[in-house]
């Protein structure tokens, strides 16, 4: 497992019974996590001091139980020189996936060691963690997400990180349709990172199911890679899509065309109470 263990302002304090207790720059949140099937004893003093608790509903979704005002408002958190706005949202999220920092570090290293200008396409780009990491390392970035609100949030994060003047294109669009247009325009990228949802429905009622669509999307994206690409990074939070399956796809499509090597693994975060890593998703990486 590749563990994002360089955080100074984020910590998983404890985990038990399908929940995790986290500290987000001093704000403590309890959020559900179905992978936490263990029932280890809780340090009740820690758990009872949480600022907010997300409860799932038996009918689907859920809601936050706020213990004080500070957890209802947005606050900031840093990863090195990158800064992010954090705020609990309607579906347990906070606007950031801290485990992705291990991938930010990887991409920054590849960009800085490339010895040339690097352009990166970030698909399903959410609030811009990968976008800002790549821009900070010196890449030009095209940030694409279908949610206008998420792109606006990402732009706020760019301002917080003093990266608003960097060469970033902010695009609100369907990712697959955008790539198809980029192919017709003849635009190329040296790196691609994507974090597609497990399931979704487009504006026209189109159904997106990751297992059914991911191979075709990777194949499509291979057509916008430059002649000498640097990396292709594919994330998944879908339990049915293993790291090895994603690696097989990248090997079959990207490595077959460009050579290089493919690796894959779970990514995770350290848990303070146990000194063990919590698995938080999977990543497959092609690199030259």
């Amino acid at each position: 497992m590749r563990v994002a263990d360089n955080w100074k302002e984020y910590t998983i304090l404890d985990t038990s019974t399908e929940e995790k207790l986290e500290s987000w720059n001093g704000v403590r949140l309890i959020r559900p996590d179905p992978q936490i099937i263990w029932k280890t004893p809780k340090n009740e003093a820690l758990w009872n001091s949480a600022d907010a608790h997300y409860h799932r509903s038996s009918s689907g979704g859920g809601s936050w139980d706020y213990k004080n005002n500070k957890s209802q408002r947005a606050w900031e958190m840093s990863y090195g020189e990158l800064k992010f706005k954090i705020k609990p949202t309607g579906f347990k999220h906070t606007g950031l996936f801290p485990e992705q920092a291990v991938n930010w570090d990887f991409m920054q290293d590849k960009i800085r060691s490339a010895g040339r200008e690097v352009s990166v396409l970030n698909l399903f780009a959410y609030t811009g963690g990968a976008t800002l990491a790549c821009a900070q390392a010196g890449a030009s970035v095209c940030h694409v997400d279908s949610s206008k609100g998420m792109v606006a949030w990402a732009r706020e994060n760019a301002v917080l990180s003093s990266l608003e003047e960097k060469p970033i294109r902010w695009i609100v669009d369907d990712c697959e349709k955008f790539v198809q247009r980029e192919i017709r325009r003849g635009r190329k990228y040296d790196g691609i990172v994507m974090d597609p949802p497990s399931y979704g429905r487009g504006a026209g009622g189109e159904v997106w199911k990751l297992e059914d669509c991911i191979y075709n999307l990777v194949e499509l994206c291979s057509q916008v890679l430059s002649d000498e690409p640097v990396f292709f990074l594919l994330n998944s939070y879908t339990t049915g899509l293993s790291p090895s399956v994603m690696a097989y796809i990248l090997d079959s499509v990207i490595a077959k065309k460009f050579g290089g090597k493919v690796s894959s693994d779970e990514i995770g975060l350290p848990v303070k109470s146990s000194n063990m890593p919590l698995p938080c998703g999977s990543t497959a990486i092609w690199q030259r």
Side-chain angles (χ1 to χ4, degrees):
M1 184 186 297
R2 297 166 57 234
V3 180
D5 54 6
N6 290 326
W7 282 98
K8 306 299 183 187
E9 297 183 358
Y10 173 83
T11 308
I12 298 180
L13 301 170
D14 197 12
T15 61
S16 181
T17 323
E18 296 191 352
E19 290 186 316
K20 55 189 173 186
L21 172 64
E22 310 160 289
S23 175
W24 297 77
N25 196 15
V27 180
R28 294 185 175 187
L29 305 179
I30 298 174
R31 296 193 297 159
D33 189 323
Q35 292 201 93
I36 301 173
I37 61 174
W38 47 91
K39 300 177 182 180
T40 49
K42 293 181 177 180
N43 182 332
E44 295 300 335
L46 287 177
W47 288 80
N48 290 339
S49 65
D51 298 294
H53 189 167
Y54 187 88
H55 298 279
R56 288 196 183 278
S57 169
S58 58
S59 59
S63 61
W64 287 96
D65 175 18
Y66 295 103
K67 308 298 183 181
N68 53 55
N69 289 332
K70 72 176 181 178
S71 56
Q72 298 184 53
R73 300 188 298 266
W75 66 95
E76 295 179 18
M77 192 170 75
S78 299
Y79 184 75
E81 295 180 0
L82 299 177
K83 296 184 184 298
F84 304 97
K85 183 182 84 170
I86 306 299
K87 182 176 175 59
T89 65
F91 184 64
K92 82 171 183 178
H93 295 156
T94 62
L96 192 69
F97 292 92
E99 63 275 8
Q100 287 298 327
V102 73
N103 288 327
W104 305 341
D105 293 342
F106 163 82
M107 289 185 288
Q108 287 194 325
D109 180 67
K110 298 298 290 186
I111 291 165
R112 288 170 175 152
S113 62
R116 58 182 173 89
E117 293 186 3
V118 173
S119 60
V120 175
L121 175 61
N122 185 10
L123 299 173
F124 310 96
Y126 195 49
T127 59
T131 294
L132 301 186
C134 291
Q136 185 188 58
S140 61
V141 186
C142 182
H143 174 109
V144 186
D145 197 281
S146 62
S147 168
K148 184 177 180 180
M150 290 300 106
V151 174
W153 194 333
R155 298 189 74 156
E156 287 185 64
N157 287 335
V159 172
L160 290 174
S161 300
S162 300
L163 295 171
E164 68 270 26
E165 300 301 323
K166 294 292 185 179
I168 303 173
R169 296 168 61 205
W170 304 100
I171 308 293
V172 179
D173 202 350
D174 176 88
C175 289
E176 183 174 352
K177 292 177 180 177
F178 177 79
V179 172
Q180 290 170 343
R181 284 193 289 273
E182 292 290 83
I183 293 171
R184 293 194 293 269
R185 287 188 282 250
R187 194 183 295 270
K188 300 290 185 178
Y189 298 91
D190 302 304
I192 294 177
V193 53
M194 64 170 73
D195 196 348
S198 299
Y199 180 86
R201 191 176 294 274
E206 312 93 332
V207 173
W208 163 275
K209 189 176 180 182
L210 184 60
E211 297 95 324
D212 297 338
C213 301
I214 191 59
Y215 181 85
N216 290 341
L217 182 58
V218 170
E219 198 170 46
L220 190 70
C221 288
S222 72
Q223 299 177 56
V224 296
L225 283 171
S226 66
D227 292 336
E228 295 186 354
V230 178
F231 62 81
F232 194 119
L233 193 148
L234 174 60
N235 289 304
S236 172
Y237 291 92
T238 303
T239 54
L241 195 64
S242 71
S244 298
V245 168
M246 294 193 297
Y248 197 103
I249 292 172
L250 292 188
D251 198 71
S252 301
V253 178
I254 308 301
K256 183 178 180 180
K257 185 174 182 180
F258 296 100
K261 63 180 182 179
V262 174
S263 59
S264 63
D265 210 339
E266 290 182 302
I267 58 174
L269 290 159
V271 178
K272 185 176 181 179
S273 63
S274 65
N275 292 317
M276 292 188 292
L278 174 68
C280 299
S282 301
T283 301
I285 298 172
W286 172 87
Q287 58 183 306
R288 182 170 291 282

